[in-house]
Each structure stands twice: as structure tokens, then as C-alpha cells.
């Protein structure tokens, strides 16, 4: 069933292409109920958040469980420049082409942008030009408050950790137990529901607090958290380099309990990863409770449920679990949900959004989702982490390329955000393009190895020449791409991605291999890290003393069967952001290894990867303002 003409809109394209926010403000969005109706969603299937956004309720999945899925497409890219190569724009443009021009049922699944990049270097993530999600200011800023919910939940857990250490240090076992299980008016004690999870973990089967022995009271009440082992950090959703390392507990009331810690950006929180990888409300409750914040002094993992917090975290996240329905400039539906970065997390939108979308579009329809940064990071994690937990199988993977990025990989001058592009990027240089195609070729080869058909989307800029574009197409086909298509969706909307849409449809219809993972889960942590490193072109892996210690600890604790989520620079296959093209024979340094047990992965930190970005000299916020006469946002990109 195709999208109705009620929702589809004809774009009035002008040249040169105006600023993104100006295009977005020039199109009046349809009431979101019209978009929902085209997906056969009735008002009891969603909660309205204003006129242009709605939360699609998870109960929809129960109603469509027996329906067959549509085609599943993931959009990745080559190793990007700091300016980005247009993956989000391509994802939106492709969906506009499929829905508005090929008359296919289609849903775009995107991540919610972090305010860090929006006000920092990169800007928003609603797409660009005539391929955007609207209203783009609402998309790029607060949306429906999911990231704020994550921030609140994350920081509640952080506060509980330090407070528990404080109270345990100042109280006897008896006093601590009396406060944890106080008697009611009749003098009877009881355990709260969450406490039974800790009792079961400890092997204590008693249900009456008064029946615990002194030794059991000690084990139950005293978590005995080792401050040196705490991996849980506070978060906020802006770039603030000065919070990367802080000291807490300096107030006189904290009695000298000073500890060094730091802030991450909110989208790096494990709670964000839990939201993205969960499959149901009950699954999210279990994952949140299982999150490990550090170890006891005996070396046992301490979880959110040990702290009594799993239920409260779920309450804070109960609305965030529902995906947000929005629309593109041409009236095709979009589900926005979760927003983990790909360089410091797994970089994909949520499983529940994809599952709902695949049922809603049905056989012959398309769900197109975007994986962050280059395919070495986003697509790899999409396949080896997201698809493992979802059980979903993609038929096609897109690799987005630009002439600009290929020239950089071919040896062109550095591309720096905020500085004008060198002349090399604005004039024809086929030789530089051909030299840079080694980067694209490795991404194609790596992505093909998962068993999907790979389509290369050449995101055309006005300065690209026919000879350069043809050179890329030839190199892509020679590297094993199913097809390689020149796209102008930024300048022309869906019309500029029709050829890409046709190629994607053919790729989906002609897939012949099952999904293949890069490594089996039963392999050890090091084996899995080394399998990923090999796909980068590394000849080996070097582990720091800290990394070795953590791997040994997580293996002893029974976590070695989890998939791997590499925290690595997005600007190179290697740990060195300056190493362009397709470097090989390098040693990949693993500085540390951490675990997101609730989300369900181990994440090695490669090199000097930071989990809290900083602001540049001239952040994007210089251009952002409000037109006080109209109430419209201006300058957002």
C-alpha cells in the first residue's frame, strides 16, 4: 500500500540551494495525524506531542506481530571528513524517492541528535537541503525529551552510587539495615520488590528481614563499593571539555569523601545504549537493572538493582521507550528514536523503531535506517550488535561517498571545519579521486562480507565533475558494489535520489546470502577485538596494562560472551585520525576496556578516544537565534 496523495508534497526547488533552516521553515508540516493515518495508525496507537510529533506506542507491535516485514536497508558511509558526507541527507532523500516518486510504503528510522554537535561543530542531523526531517528545529533540539530523560536517569544513578558509599562509611551494619528495611507502624519490616533481586543474587531465599543472620545482613546491606572501580560517570547533553575530569565531595558535609570522576556527553550514557537495544518495556527494565557501575572490594560486579534503582530508572524512561513519529519535507514518515554516537557507542537508532516500521510498511515496503559515521564503525556495530539483539536481517547496505572525502583520502589537504576548502576540493582532479577510492573499496568489501548487497550512493556536490563521478562509479563496481549511483537529493529532494531508490529496490530483491557476523560470540574478548581490528587493516593489537586487567576481570565475571563495541576515531580506519585512505599493517592500541552489561556489550577504548567532546573556537551557536517577530528559529544547520 502506497502513501496517499494527502500527505505527499511537491517541493518547489530553487537554485542555489537555500540554507537548511530556510528550506525547513518554507514548508508547512502536515498535522502528524495525517502521517500516522498513512501508516494505518489510529489515534489510540500514538500520543500527540504538539501538532507535528507523536509517540508511537509499543502496543502497536502486539497488534501487527503476525504481519510480514518489509525490506530492511542500512545507510553507512566511507570514512568522513569533519564536515560529514551526507548520510542522514541520503537516508531522507532515498526515502522521499521511494515514497513520493516510486509509490512505495516507506519509513525512515533515524537517531535523535545530541545538542553537543548541534551547538558545537557539526550542526544538526535532520538531513540537509531538500532532503530533511521537519520541523527541523524540533528534531534537532528537545524533540520529545528522551535525551533529557536519559540524563536524569543516568545522574540519579550517579548520585545513588556516591551517596551509598557515604552512608556505608558512616553506619554500622545494623544501622544501615534498619534504614534500608525500616519497620512500619505495626513494627513489621519488609523488603521492597527490588531488594529481592539482590537477595536472589546473594543466594538468600528468606523473605522476612527479621530472619536474616548477622552475616546475611552484612552481605545484603553493605555493597562495599570500591571507589577506584567505579565506571559510571555523570552526563549532560552539551560539549564541555572542562568536565572531562572533576573532583567531587569537596563540601564539608561530605566528610572528606573526595573522589575523582568526570562527565560524559548524555548520548554516551549506557542508558542511551539500553534504549536503542531494548526490545520491550520488560526487557528495558531488566537491562537497566543489570547495568554494572563498578565492583565491590571483593571484586564482584555491583549493579543498578543492587543499589535499588532499576525500577526508578525504568519509571524515568517509560515514555522514552516509544519512538517519535515525524515527517520529511515530502511528507514521508520518519521514526526518530535513541541517539548513541557511533564513535563512542554503537551509533544506531532503536530496535523497537525498526521493528514497528518493518511491520507497518509490510512486504514490498522499505525501512531505511542510518548507521553513524563510516561503515567501519556504524555499519559494523549495526550488524554485529544491533542485528544480533533484534534478530532482523538487512537486505541492502548503502555506502555514501563524496568526491570531497575521496580527494582527502587520496592525499588532499586537511579538511577543517570552519575553514574554507582548499582549491583541490573545488577543481577537477581525477587522479586524487582515484587514489582515494581505496578507502571506499575497503568499506565495500567489509560491508559485503556480511552477506548484504552493497549500493554506493555518490552524493554529488556542485563542484564535482563528470569525469570524477564516473571514476568513482567505476571503482565502486570494480570493488564489488551491486551498483553505484550519482545522487542529487540535497539539491532536488526525492527526485534526485530516484535512481538510487531503483538500485536499492533491485539490491533488496536480489539478495542471495544469509546474514553473516564478523565473529562468533563464544570467542574470547581478545579474539573478537582482533577480528574487528583485522577488518580495519591492523596487523595486530596492543593492550595496555589497564586493558589487560579489565579483560581478565570481565572474563572472570562471565561477560566474555558479549559482542564488542569499539570506541574509536571516526576519521580513520586506524587509531590515528590523520591516517587517511586505507592504512594497513598498523598496531591498534587498546587503552582501556569497559563494559555496558545492561546494554549488552564490551567496549574497548582505542587510543585517546574521549567520551565528552569539546567546543571549537567558533561553535555553531554563533549562528543560532530566534526571530522574535515570528517565533521561528534561524541559523540552525
Amino acid at each position: 500500500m502506497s502513501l496517499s496523495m494527502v500527505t505527499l508534497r511537491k517541493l518547489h526547488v530553487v537554485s542555489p540551494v537555500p540554507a537548511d533552516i530556510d528550506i525547513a521553515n518554507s514548508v508547512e508540516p502536515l498535522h502528524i495525524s495525517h502521517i500516522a493515518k498513512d501508516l494505518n495508525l489510529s489515534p489510540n496507537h500514538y500520543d500527540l506531542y504538539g501538532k507535528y510529533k507523536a509517540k508511537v506506542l509499543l502496543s502497536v507491535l502486539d497488534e501487527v506481530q503476525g504481519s510480514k516485514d518489509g525490506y530492511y536497508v542500512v545507510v553507512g558511509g566511507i570514512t568522513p571528513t569533519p564536515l560529514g558526507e551526507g548520510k542522514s541527507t541520503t537516508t531522507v532523500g532515498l526515502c522521499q524517492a521511494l515514497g513520493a516518486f516510486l509509490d512505495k510504503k516507506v519509513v525512515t528510522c533515524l537517531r535523535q541528535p545530541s545538542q553537543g554537535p548541534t551547538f558545537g561543530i557539526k550542526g544538526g542531523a535532520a538531513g540537509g537541503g531538500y532532503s530533511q526531517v521537519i520541523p527541523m528545529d524540533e528534531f534537532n533540539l528537545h524533540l520529545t525529551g528522551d535525551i533529557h530523560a536519559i540524563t536524569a536517569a543516568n545522574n540519579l544513578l550517579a548520585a545513588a552510587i556516591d551517596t551509598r558509599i557515604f552512608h556505608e562509611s558512616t553506619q554500622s551494619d545494623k544501622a544501615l539495615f534498619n534504614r534500608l528495611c525500616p519497620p512500619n507502624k505495626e513494627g513489621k519490616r519488609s523488603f521492597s520488590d527490588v531488594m529481592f533481586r539482590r537477595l536472589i543474587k546473594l543466594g538468600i531465599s528468606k523473605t522476612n528481614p527479621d530472619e536474616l543472620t548477622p552475616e546475611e545482613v552484612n552481605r545484603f546491606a553493605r555493597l562495599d563499593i570500591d571507589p577506584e572501580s567505579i565506571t559510571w560517570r555523570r552526563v549532560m547533553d552539551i560539549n564541555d571539555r572542562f568536565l572531562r575530569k572533576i573532583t567531587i565531595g569537596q563540601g564539608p558535609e561530605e566528610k572528606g569523601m573526595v573522589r575523582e570522576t568526570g562527565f560524559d556527553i548524555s548520548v554516551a550514557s549506557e542508558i542511551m545504549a539500553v534504549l536503542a537495544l531494548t526490545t520491550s518495556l520488560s526487557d528495558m527494565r531488566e537491562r537497566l537493572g543489570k547495568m554494572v557501575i563498578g565492583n565491590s572490594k571483593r571484586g564482584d560486579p555491583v549493579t543498578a538493582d543492587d543499589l535499588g534503582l532499576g525500577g526508578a530508572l525504568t519509571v524515568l524512561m517509560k515514555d522514552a521507550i516509544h519512538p517519535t513519529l515525524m515527517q520529511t519535507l515530502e511528507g514521508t514518515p520518519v521514526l526518530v528514536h535513541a541517539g548513541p554516537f557511533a564513535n563512542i557507542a554503537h551509533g544506531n537508532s532503536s530496535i523497537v523503531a525498526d521493528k514497528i516500521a518493518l511491520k507497518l510498511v509490510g512486504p514490498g515496503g522499505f525501512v531505511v535506517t542510518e548507521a553513524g559515521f563510516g561503515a567501519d564503525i556504524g555499519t559494523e556495530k549495526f550488524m554485529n550488535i544491533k542485528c544480533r539483539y533484534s534478530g532482523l536481517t538487512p537486505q541492502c547496505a548503502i555506502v555514501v561517498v563524496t568526491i570531497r572525502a575521496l580527494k582527502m583520502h587520496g592525499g588532499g589537504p586537511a579538511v577543517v571545519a570552519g575553514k574554507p576548502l582548499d582549491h583541490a576540493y573545488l577543481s577537477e582532479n581525477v587522479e586524487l579521486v582515484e587514489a582515494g577510492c581505496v578507502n571506499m573499496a575497503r568499506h565495500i568489501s567489509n560491508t559485503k562480507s556480511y552477506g548484504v548487497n552493497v549500493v554506493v550512493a555518490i552524493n554529488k556536490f556542485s563542484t564535482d565533475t563528470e569525469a570524477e563521478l564516473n571514476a568513482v562509479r567505476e571503482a565502486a563496481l570494480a570493488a564489488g558494489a551491486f551498483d553505484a549511483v550519482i545522487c542529487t537529493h540535497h539539491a532536488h529532494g526525492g527526485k534526485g535520489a530516484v535512481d538510487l531508490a531503483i538500485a536499492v529496490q533491485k539490491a533488496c530483491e536480489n539478495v542471495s546470502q544469509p546474514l553473516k557476523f564478523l565473529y562468533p560470540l563464544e570467542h574470547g574478548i581478545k579474539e573478537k577485538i582482533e577480528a574487528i581490528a583485522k577488518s580495519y587493516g591492523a596487523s595486530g593489537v596492543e593492550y595496555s596494562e589497564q586493558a589487560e586487567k579489565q579483560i581478565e576481570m570481565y572474563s572472570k565475571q562471565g561477560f566474555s560472551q558479549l559482542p564488542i563495541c569499539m570506541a574509536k576515531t571516526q576519521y580513520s580506519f586506524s587509531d590515528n585520525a590523520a591516517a587517511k585512505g586505507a592504512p594497513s599493517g598498523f598496531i591498534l592500541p587498546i587503552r582501556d576496556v569497559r563494559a555496558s552489561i545492561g546494554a549488552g556489550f564490551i567496549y574497548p577504548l582505542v587510543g585517546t578516544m574521549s567520551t565528552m567532546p569539546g567546543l571549537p573556537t567558533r561553535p555553531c551557536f554563533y549562528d543560532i537565534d530566534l526571530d522574535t517577530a515570528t517565533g521561528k528559529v534561524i541559523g540552525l544547520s
Side-chain angles (χ1 to χ4, degrees), residues 438-451:
V438 293
N439 183 274
M440 174 182 70
R442 184 178 288 173
H443 284 295
I444 292 170
S445 173
N446 283 352
T447 306
K448 265 190 81 176
S449 70
Y450 297 110

Side-chain angles (χ1 to χ4, degrees), residues 425-466:
Y425 296 103
L426 306 174
S427 56
E428 184 176 284
N429 191 328
V430 177
E431 189 177 330
L432 206 56
V433 172
E434 289 174 337
C437 283
V438 293
N439 183 274
M440 174 182 70
R442 184 178 288 173
H443 284 295
I444 292 170
S445 173
N446 283 352
T447 306
K448 265 190 81 176
S449 70
Y450 297 110
V452 295
N453 283 330
V454 178
V455 173
V456 171
I458 307 167
N459 186 16
K460 185 179 183 296
F461 289 14
S462 60
T463 51
D464 301 341
T465 70
E466 190 174 345

